[in-house]
Amino acid sequence: MTTANGSVGHDALDPKNSSKNTLKLENTEKRDVLIAIEKKYQAKWQESGVFQANAPSTSEVPTGSLSASELRETYPKFHACFAYPYMNGTLHAGHSFTASKVEFATGFARLQGKRALFPLGFHCTGMPIKACADKLTENVRMFGKNFERYNEEVELEKDKTELPPAPTQAQTKEDITKFTSSKGKASAKAVKLKYQFQIMLALGIPREEIHKFADSAYWLKYFPPLCKQDLNNFGARIDWRRSFVTTDANPYYDAFVRWQMNRLKELNKIQYGVRYTVYSPKDGQPCMDHDRTEGEGIAPQDYTAIKLKVKEWAAKAADLIRGKIPDGANVYFVPATLRPETMYGQTCCFVGPKINYGIFRVSENEYYVVTKRAAWNMAFQGTFFKSDDFPRSANQLSPVVDLPGSSVVGTLVTAPLSIHTQGVRILPMETVLPSKGTGVVTSVPSDSPDDYATVVELAKKAEYYGIQKEWAELEIPPIIETPSFGNLTAPFLVKKMKINSPKDTKQLSEAKDLAYKEGFYKGTMLVGDFKGQSVEIAKPKVREALLKSGEAFEYAEPNGHVVSRSGDECVVAYLGQWFINYGENDPQWRKQVVDYVRTDLELYYPEAKHQFEKTLDWLNRWACARTYGLGSKLPWDPKFLIESLSDSTIYPAYYTFSHLLHSDVFGTQKGLLDVRADQMIDEVWDYVFCRRDLDQELLEKCGIKKPDLETMRREFEYWYPLDMRVSGKDLIGNNLTFLLYIHAALFPREYWVRSLRVNGHLLLNGEKMSKSTGNFLTLNDAVKKYGADATRVALADAGDAIEDANFEESVANQIILRLHTLKEWCEEVIQDSNLRIGSLDGFWDQLFENEMNVLVHEAEQHYHATNFKLALKSALYDFTSTRDFYREATAAAGIGMHRDLVLQYIEHQALLLTPIASHWADYIWQEVLHKPSSVQLALWPSVPMPQSHLTATREYVRSTTSNITSAEGTQLKKKEKGKAIAFDPKRPKRLTIFAATSYPAWQEKYIDLVRDSFDSITLSIDDKALGPKIAKMGEMKKAMPFVQGLKKRLMGGEKGEVVFERKLAFDELEVLGHMRAGLRKTTGCKEVAIVAAEDEGSKGKLVGGGDGEPLQENLPVAAQGAVPGAPTFHFENVES
């Protein structure tokens, strides 16, 4: 509905609507307490500049006194960043997920004593901002400054009269020799709102402010401060001094980008040439990945367009064209094929009978029959228009004649290379798609299962289809020999796979894939000039021969639906452009990068490495300039702007000393040095980036003081190479691979990026994030809703692999309670005067301290490997669990916790959580432990290596307790279901634990087998050799659990001589004695007895608990299963 002033009233424009289906919080008292703490510490951090990181100054370490590598070794550092966010909106939870990886890694690096740098700039280059600004200009023109003339009812009526767009062909992999990247972020977005001002309203921007965004410069002023505010509220450890906006809005960054492009051109890495590229007719320029709202990752698909000359028109078509085409003019049906080598086998040509075609004039004497969509693509490839006169509107290209597909059925055409030299017929095919290729499909039934199934169907039902039967029954010649399917691949597969008609689409798709792969990789040509050659070799030769003879021409189109930011459906254009020469045309450059990926680059996951290798295999020349949008001008051709994925490859190098150049993001105020942007000439960048030495000529040319130049270089050579760059996996196919190429071209190898960490997209509550479904959170939403630390913990818990992760709001909500409870416990327990003091040699004290040491080392390993979900498990969940166990065990034993260990626990807990829950950690550090400075300045706890005997003891206590309580729980469930039970858990009961004093004799032979297979150096066991030997013994059922137990002990670090000499790492009976009090409490048993079982459980001696005479020989059956380290037990009811 509309209000009186014409304003929009539907829910889609309400910013809250995007998160309407997320979790609703009821009680926020505990959250509010935590948020108050967070705000306090965020203010402290910003005020103190604790995240501002600097290289050792030239006064500390004089220039030339240490090499760059020695400097970094002497003063360890960590420099990491994520892809700088695009400034056309605020950060959402997906941005936050990627940023969190850098955030946690930076926090851990600080704890390691490294100088840690996390900088962030703001990306503004490219089309999106300019396109949105232009749309708003039009919206203001249409509806007024505040859109007061907008009337929703009128717009709804317009929508009803507009026809929906024709369906587009889904992206399919037609050419098996080409790699196409999977859909990226842009293609996952679907904006339902029609006008740009509505989108701005949905972002929460006030109506009266929206018109300001018609000026693209306003975006650059509006969104960066919001981004900074959101990340500060998140508690990010960002050094904001180094921030900047891209484009020529910042003259320093502009000089940096221009230097980069100049040097690449000098190295012949940037060239000018004519090539196919995805192109927006409306924008009049190439449309690269980041210029798109749909179709990210889609590239041009190259075809061979075959010219089938009309010899005789079908009667209906002849009537339609009469008088519209000059007599004697050549008219061609133009199918586009990916398999030119199969043209020898053409027997007919297909059209869609329900598709509308056009005859388009190429020249006075030449015309093409194709769909209008195909003709529109051809218009940008030199067929109908020249490259300097490309059309902007489809109205500029009209057919001479419109023809329904049904009217041309029966037309006789020539088929280049076909054995049927008298010509072939145009026949109907229901499955021809108007949205793919030219809408004309040449038929090769020998090697195309679809074609064969169709001609068989047509011959069977010729009268139904209105054709003469013999038109579909021309001889099918064998043209390619294959080892698996013979020389008539399609008939073979159709028969084998029992395909009965063209409607068997699933089987036909499988058959097509099999036929194509077999034919291309294993096929041999049987006919033509290249007879005897492999198809792989002959294919390009056949294509070249067809092009040279004039019987074919090159044609390309996007391999899927691509829409530009301006809302234009894109085509493929063949035009001159500046491009970066990635890929096969510079094999030495590509080899440099490939070798680096395979040897020195840390990629964290094998799948990531595989994807980079695949990208390097297919990635080719990349258009690096455009004429529309925002950006830096191409230095040697200033009518072009440098595109957004080409000015954003080596910007981490700019971070290293940007704060020295300027103190605001626009570069209007000088930084720590007195250097003007015009002084940053190309030779200065060369010096700073270690590409040349400093001499008097350079000093005079640039006018920058020598100490200032040395200071800039010091910052670069210290902070570089970049230690870790984090990005979504969708950037592997472009920006991240570009980054590797450009570093290899411009920097000495010492400064190439050390690691790239890619992550999947972020799901929200197990579902794809979507504003339209109400399942969406911005970073600001999440932090306001849950607080910074709970959001950070939920992001850490979401996952670390390259697969998509999942932000669970329930986790964030639960963490609020957990952190608040843990805070209160720390505050209370540190005031507890009843805590035990004195020596720390008690049994439970030793286990607790050792277990803390285990978890400290575990967490350290996980943080170092950037496995933050596992680090969180060790640092929070397991760490609090081991505290709970200690608290309960000491309470049951009547001794209570030791004060020193409680303090040690609190201190370790704060430090272990510092990378993730940094606000909570600093509060505990300063206000509970009363440390003199921020936890952000603290170091990782230095603890002894865990003692294996104590670790084994703790595992024994844990597993034994769990087995006993589980058994009792099982009986309780049985009772509730009315089943027979061995004892009644709810009545007074006695627990007897049987601990074997010796191993069963049968185990000796397996001890020997494991000893022979164990490598004490690598701590590994040859399972391949061990398995068959165990199987030969014939006792797999009882032997394997025993062998697995031995392996577990060995892998856990117990010494081989202890394991093989049949010795436990601890005194089992003594440990059970310590456990008695706790077991009595947890099970509610009146008595807990411990029996030392001998002779495989046939007799035993009571060594702890219970009254009366020691047990003799009549032990329960359970005693027979006991072995050292794996006790058995027996419950029985007793009199109260």
Side-chain angles (χ1 to χ4, degrees), residues 313 316-322 324-325 331 333 352-359 368-370 399-408 411:
W313 284 104
K316 291 180 182 178
D319 290 340
L320 290 170
I321 68 172
R322 189 171 292 114
K324 296 177 181 176
I325 294 176
V331 182
F333 281 78
K354 298 176 183 177
I355 294 173
N356 290 319
Y357 294 84
I359 301 180
Y368 292 165
V369 181
V370 291
V400 177
V401 183
D402 286 310
L403 292 172
S406 57
S407 71
V408 300
T411 298

Side-chain angles (χ1 to χ4, degrees), residues 9 55 94 111 287 329 362 387 463 620 632 718 877 896 947 1042 1109 1114:
L111 287 166
C287 184
V362 181
S387 60
E463 186 176 347
N620 215 314
S632 296
Y718 177 70
Y877 301 124
Q947 298 182 53
F1042 172 66
E1109 293 295 321
N1114 297 322

Side-chain angles (χ1 to χ4, degrees), residues 137 265 394 480 490 838:
T137 299
K265 187 171 184 289
I480 294 173

Side-chain angles (χ1 to χ4, degrees), residues 179-410:
F179 174 86
T180 52
S181 69
S182 60
K183 65 180 181 180
K185 291 179 289 186
S187 62
K189 298 174 182 175
V191 179
K192 307 278 186 183
L193 303 175
K194 184 175 180 179
Y195 294 106
Q196 184 64 39
F197 84 89
Q198 295 174 317
I199 295 170
M200 307 302 280
L201 283 170
L203 286 174
I205 297 170
R207 176 183 291 270
E208 59 276 9
E209 195 169 349
I210 291 175
H211 71 274
K212 297 177 184 178
F213 290 86
D215 176 5
S216 55
Y218 189 72
W219 298 67
L220 280 60
K221 298 173 184 175
Y222 185 86
F223 285 111
L226 292 182
C227 175
K228 179 178 179 179
Q229 177 183 309
D230 288 350
L231 285 164
N232 281 339
N233 292 340
F234 183 63
R237 299 174 175 89
I238 293 173
D239 184 349
W240 291 112
R241 300 174 304 159
R242 300 168 187 265
S243 298
F244 55 88
V245 295
T246 65
T247 76
D248 53 9
N250 183 318
Y252 293 94
Y253 189 77
D254 185 56
F256 165 69
V257 172
R258 286 187 284 108
W259 161 82
Q260 171 190 336
M261 304 307 282
N262 279 331
R263 293 297 179 251
L264 289 173
K265 187 171 184 289
E266 290 168 7
L267 292 166
N268 205 33
K269 305 302 182 188
I270 295 181
Q271 299 175 4
Y272 187 85
V274 181
R275 59 190 291 271
Y276 288 111
T277 188
V278 177
Y279 182 88
S280 166
K282 180 178 178 180
D283 302 328
Q285 65 178 12
C287 184
M288 311 311 289
D289 274 0
H290 280 202
D291 303 328
R292 305 172 185 177
T293 56
E294 289 183 54
E296 187 175 333
I298 289 174
Q301 174 66 68
D302 298 330
Y303 291 92
T304 304
I306 310 296
K307 295 167 70 174
L308 278 59
K309 183 179 177 182
V310 175
K311 295 180 70 175
E312 175 189 312
W313 284 104
K316 291 180 182 178
D319 290 340
L320 290 170
I321 68 172
R322 189 171 292 114
K324 296 177 181 176
I325 294 176
D327 293 339
N330 296 317
V331 182
Y332 299 92
F333 281 78
V334 186
T337 182
L338 292 167
R339 303 193 64 187
E341 77 280 5
T342 66
M343 293 302 97
Y344 298 100
Q346 295 177 86
T347 64
C348 64
C349 178
F350 296 127
V351 296
K354 298 176 183 177
I355 294 173
N356 290 319
Y357 294 84
I359 301 180
F360 295 88
R361 181 181 181 275
V362 181
S363 66
E364 191 63 37
N365 199 43
E366 188 165 332
Y367 296 78
Y368 292 165
V369 181
V370 291
T371 60
K372 186 155 188 175
R373 174 189 164 279
W376 185 235
N377 261 276
M378 291 178 185
F380 299 90
Q381 297 167 29
T383 301
F384 306 116
F385 296 86
K386 293 181 180 179
S387 60
D388 58 355
D389 189 33
F390 281 161
R392 289 294 183 97
S393 167
N395 294 330
Q396 293 173 253
L397 179 68
S398 298
V400 177
V401 183
D402 286 310
L403 292 172
S406 57
S407 71
V408 300
V409 171

Side-chain angles (χ1 to χ4, degrees), residues 163 192 591 771 798 869 1002 1016 1088 1100:
L163 293 174
K192 307 278 186 183
K591 185 177 185 303
K771 291 181 180 179
K869 186 179 177 76
W1002 65 267
S1016 59
V1088 175

Side-chain angles (χ1 to χ4, degrees), residues 913-943:
L913 279 182
T914 293
I916 297 174
S918 48
H919 309 82
W920 184 93
D922 214 354
Y923 172 82
I924 296 297
W925 192 253
Q926 294 194 61
E927 299 191 38
V928 176
L929 295 173
H930 303 293
K931 300 287 185 177
S933 60
S934 171
V935 78
Q936 302 282 8
L937 301 173
L939 295 177
W940 189 260
S942 177
V943 299

Side-chain angles (χ1 to χ4, degrees), residues 857-925:
H857 285 288
E858 255 185 32
E860 183 176 20
Q861 291 169 2
H862 294 319
Y863 275 127
H864 184 75
T866 71
N867 292 325
F868 301 117
K869 186 179 177 76
L870 292 176
L872 178 67
K873 180 177 182 295
S874 300
L876 178 60
Y877 301 124
D878 292 348
F879 212 67
T880 52
S881 290
T882 201
R883 175 213 59 178
D884 294 343
F885 185 86
Y886 174 61
R887 180 175 56 185
E888 292 161 9
T890 52
I895 58 174
M897 297 183 292
H898 196 288
R899 181 172 184 80
D900 291 350
L901 285 181
V902 168
L903 289 172
Q904 185 178 323
Y905 163 78
I906 296 173
E907 183 169 321
H908 286 356
Q909 182 67 89
L911 291 170
L912 265 61
L913 279 182
T914 293
I916 297 174
S918 48
H919 309 82
W920 184 93
D922 214 354
Y923 172 82
I924 296 297
W925 192 253

